[in-house]
């Protein structure tokens, strides 16, 4: 990563690459996910390959959902202690328009600015959470609108004031037996930022380029194009009609990129 950014020009942008080892606070006594990784039952569930009588689909048992690269988004105020606001971007996005306007958006006292995804019923809270569990049933509206990670504005002043990371810790610890939700970092995000999320204009964040057909006009207007889903543009299974949106920004003459297995 450091070699890549050190040998590539980004129009005067300052780039800082950090690594986990520098975060001394990132340890099992503070981070529930790291503590759970030390648990024998958790290790068996994700890594042994044993089945629980086939009750849990294999996609829910993918160890990537325990990766701290996924969960580090819940520690942004600690990663950047001097910052008051950040724009968060996933690694499978293309930025095709100026994002500076995001910093002046009024979040109305909320912590998270995100594009909502509930235009269809299955992107509401009941899609992601187990409403047979009393904790979920008592605290969250099943018809509340879901939203997307991948392009988010975070007000770190409000985050620290409301101690949002401790909310995340609370729900992670309650889900140690995986009965509240099973998959990924979005469900704990929906719990953590419940009532703390400000809807953004959908053109800021266009989703679905890694798994579905997207309105071409929305793609053209979109500031951030998100290849969420399995069909990443650098893979053989990438959706051919969307690969050019990513490839036009790739310098295939770069010696580091020539070592990568792109398709």
């Amino acid at each position: 990563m450091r070699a890549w950014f050190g040998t590539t020009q980004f129009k005067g942008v300052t780039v800082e690459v950090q690594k986990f080892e520098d975060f001394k606070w990132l340890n099992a006594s503070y981070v529930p996910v790291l503590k759970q990784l030390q648990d024998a039952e958790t290790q068996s569930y994700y890594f042994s390959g044993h089945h629980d009588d086939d009750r849990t689909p294999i996609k829910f048992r993918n160890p990537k959902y325990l990766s701290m690269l996924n969960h580090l988004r819940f520690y942004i105020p600690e990663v950047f202690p001097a910052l008051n606001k950040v724009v968060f971007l996933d690694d499978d996005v293309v930025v095709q328009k100026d994002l500076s306007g995001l910093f002046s958006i009024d979040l109305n006292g909320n912590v998270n600015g995100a594009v909502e995804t509930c235009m269809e019923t299955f992107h509401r809270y009941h899609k992601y959470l187990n409403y047979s569990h009393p904790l979920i049933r008592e605290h969250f509206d099943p018809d509340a609108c879901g939203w997307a990670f991948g392009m988010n504005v975070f007000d770190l002043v409000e985050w620290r004031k409301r101690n949002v990371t401790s909310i995340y810790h609370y729900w992670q610890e309650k889900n140690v037996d995986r009965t509240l939700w099973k998959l990924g970092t979005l469900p704990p995000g929906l719990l953590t930022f419940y009532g703390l999320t400000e809807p953004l204009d959908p053109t800021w964040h266009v989703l679905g380029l890694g798994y579905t057909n997207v309105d071409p006009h929305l793609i053209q207007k979109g500031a951030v194009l998100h290849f969420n889903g399995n069909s990443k543009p650098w893979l053989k299974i990438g959706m051919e009609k969307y690969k050019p949106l990513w490839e036009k920004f790739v310098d295939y003459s770069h010696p580091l990129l020539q070592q990568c297995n792109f398709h």
Side-chain angles (χ1 to χ4, degrees), residues 84-104:
N84 293 332
K85 184 176 280 189
V86 300
V87 171
F88 168 85
L89 297 170
D90 262 344
D91 57 3
D92 54 353
V93 304
V94 166
V95 178
Q96 61 177 11
K97 293 190 178 178
D98 184 3
L99 302 185
S100 58
L102 288 167
F103 287 94
S104 59

Side-chain angles (χ1 to χ4, degrees), residues 34-80:
L34 290 177
K35 181 167 60 178
Q36 291 164 18
L37 275 173
Q38 297 177 355
D39 177 70
E41 195 277 332
T42 300
Q43 291 179 8
S44 175
Y45 179 85
Y46 283 102
F47 300 108
S48 72
H50 297 155
H51 297 284
D52 53 350
D53 300 325
D54 292 324
R55 292 192 304 271
T56 305
I58 191 66
K59 70 175 182 177
F60 294 139
R61 302 162 66 94
N62 192 327
K64 76 176 184 178
Y65 298 119
L66 291 175
S67 167
M68 279 308 301
L69 278 175
N70 277 326
H71 291 270
L72 200 61
R73 65 193 66 193
F74 295 102
Y75 300 95
I76 289 175
E78 284 127 314
V79 175
F80 302 108

Side-chain angles (χ1 to χ4, degrees), residues 5 8-16:
F5 286 112
T8 307
Q9 298 299 315
F10 292 96
K11 298 182 179 180
V13 171
T14 299
V15 177
E16 179 185 8

Side-chain angles (χ1 to χ4, degrees), residues 179-191:
T179 56
L180 304 187
W181 73 86
K182 290 186 181 297
L183 181 66
T185 52
L186 180 56
L190 295 175
L191 302 185

Side-chain angles (χ1 to χ4, degrees), residues 28 42 48 60 84 90 103 106 135 146 149 155 157 168 183 195 207 211 217 241-242:
T42 300
S48 72
F60 294 139
N84 293 332
D90 262 344
F103 287 94
D106 185 357
L135 262 182
F149 270 134
D155 184 331
V157 175
Y168 163 72
L183 181 66
L207 294 127
Y211 73 90
H217 298 293
K241 62 181 177 180
Y242 296 142

Side-chain angles (χ1 to χ4, degrees), residues 76-137:
I76 289 175
E78 284 127 314
V79 175
F80 302 108
L83 298 184
N84 293 332
K85 184 176 280 189
V86 300
V87 171
F88 168 85
L89 297 170
D90 262 344
D91 57 3
D92 54 353
V93 304
V94 166
V95 178
Q96 61 177 11
K97 293 190 178 178
D98 184 3
L99 302 185
S100 58
L102 288 167
F103 287 94
S104 59
I105 289 178
D106 185 357
L107 297 182
N108 295 309
N110 287 306
V111 177
N112 172 31
V115 169
E116 293 184 328
T117 57
C118 62
M119 289 70 75
E120 301 178 46
T121 302
F122 56 83
H123 281 148
R124 296 184 183 274
Y125 268 50
H126 61 75
K127 151 86 172 175
Y128 305 99
L129 305 172
N130 176 19
Y131 273 87
S132 66
H133 196 292
L135 262 182
I136 297 296
R137 210 165 47 242

Side-chain angles (χ1 to χ4, degrees), residues 96-97 119-120 202-228 239 241-242 245:
Q96 61 177 11
K97 293 190 178 178
M119 289 70 75
E120 301 178 46
T203 58
W204 281 115
H205 185 190
V206 177
L207 294 127
L209 282 81
Y211 73 90
T212 190
N213 291 313
V214 182
D215 183 343
H217 298 293
L218 195 55
I219 291 175
Q220 185 178 12
K221 292 192 298 182
V224 173
L225 307 180
H226 196 170
F227 289 85
N228 58 314
M239 300 176 73
K241 62 181 177 180
Y242 296 142
L245 296 169

